[in-house]
Amino acid sequence: MEMNNILNFYYTGGRKLMQVRRNRQIFIMLLITAFFLPACSGLVDRISQKPKDFKVAVEARELLTLLENQNRTLKTFKGTGRVTLRGDKKKKLTSRIVWIGAVPGKFRIVMRSFSGQPMISFASDGQWFYRFSHADSKFYKQRAKNTTLKRFFSIPINSGDIVSILGGSIPLVQHNKAVVEQKGSEDKYVLILKKRWGNVLQKIYFNKNKSRVRKMEMFGLSGALLYRIEFCGVQTIKRYQVPACLIFSNEEGRGFQLDIDRYWADVEVSPSVFVLTPPE
């Protein structure tokens, strides 16, 4: 009997000890929760209350809306003109050019001699970029998303942006912030598109009435100028405002000028037009 009382004492005491330890653990957990909960709540508040990544001033939104709606219904077009290659701000070579384009990112360009013979053909069907040299029958093909015209014209502009420009629209880079600066020059308003950390990606220069884009500049992530496009002439075709003269240049002044003679809008286009095949 005495032995049973002893065992019962230790058993009861052990259970009480375990309960004490359990209560102590619960108390510690509650203490930790009470300590960190306000901090976590403050952190959540800071995250939820921080400004959105996408910031657009009212005046910038006005210009962005204008650009997004410009020639929005123009899907196909073609034209003829003259292209003059420029190097070190000096004119070098002029040739005839014909092109046809379709939104988004499809085009075919043929550079001809003044006698009318094709010299070089460029094309993109949106997936592939093609180049064919008629003089030596050299054929070139590469994924369109990885290709620019830098190798051929010193301008790192891609197929999609070429089509937008020829169609009278301004390509807009993905950005997190848009602001407008006013200047005293003829380029009165400058729409500046930036990344969230402040790097300038694109500048678009408007006239004093905000009715016409006079110039556009594209920048790399390092801030260096990739290329500049000057709209040296505009014409009205049907209900569209499209370019009559364009100057493409890089930071060194190399590039080309396109003078447009004739322009057709809303033309019928076959998808096969935008595909070049190697010579047999």
Side-chain angles (χ1 to χ4, degrees), residues 24 34 43 73-74 85 93 96 107-108 131-132 175 203 205 207 223-224 229-230 232 238 247 278:
R24 183 182 299 171
L43 179 60
T73 60
L74 179 57
L85 302 182
L93 176 66
R96 301 294 302 174
F107 72 87
R108 183 165 183 166
R131 175 183 178 271
F132 178 64
H175 56 280
K203 290 185 178 181
Y205 298 78
N207 62 359
I229 301 177
E230 300 175 52
C232 44
K238 292 187 174 181
I247 299 175

Side-chain angles (χ1 to χ4, degrees), residues 3 17 51 59 65 73-75 77 90 99 122 129 132 136-137 147 150 154 178 183 225 227 258 263 270 279:
M3 180 60 68
L17 181 60
E59 194 172 24
T65 301
T73 60
L74 179 57
K75 302 300 181 182
F77 50 86
K90 295 180 181 179
W99 72 88
F122 301 92
F129 175 83
F132 178 64
D136 52 14
S137 297
T147 305
K150 183 175 182 179
S154 302
K183 297 184 177 295
L225 176 69
Y227 63 86
L258 174 61
Y263 194 106
S270 170

Side-chain angles (χ1 to χ4, degrees), residues 14-78:
R15 290 183 62 184
K16 290 182 179 180
L17 181 60
M18 291 177 62
Q19 184 65 39
V20 170
R21 289 178 177 176
R22 186 178 296 111
N23 291 340
R24 183 182 299 171
Q25 291 176 350
I26 294 174
F27 174 77
I28 292 174
M29 291 177 64
L30 290 174
L31 185 62
I32 293 175
T33 302
F35 179 80
F36 282 105
L37 186 57
C40 293
S41 176
L43 179 60
V44 172
D45 288 342
R46 286 196 296 273
I47 293 174
S48 61
Q49 292 176 7
K50 76 174 184 178
K52 295 181 180 179
D53 288 336
F54 192 72
K55 301 178 183 178
V56 180
V58 175
E59 194 172 24
R61 170 49 59 192
E62 174 190 345
L63 295 179
L64 285 170
T65 301
L66 176 67
L67 294 176
E68 289 167 356
N69 292 324
Q70 187 172 0
N71 291 352
R72 192 170 187 174
T73 60
L74 179 57
K75 302 300 181 182
T76 58
F77 50 86
K78 64 180 181 179

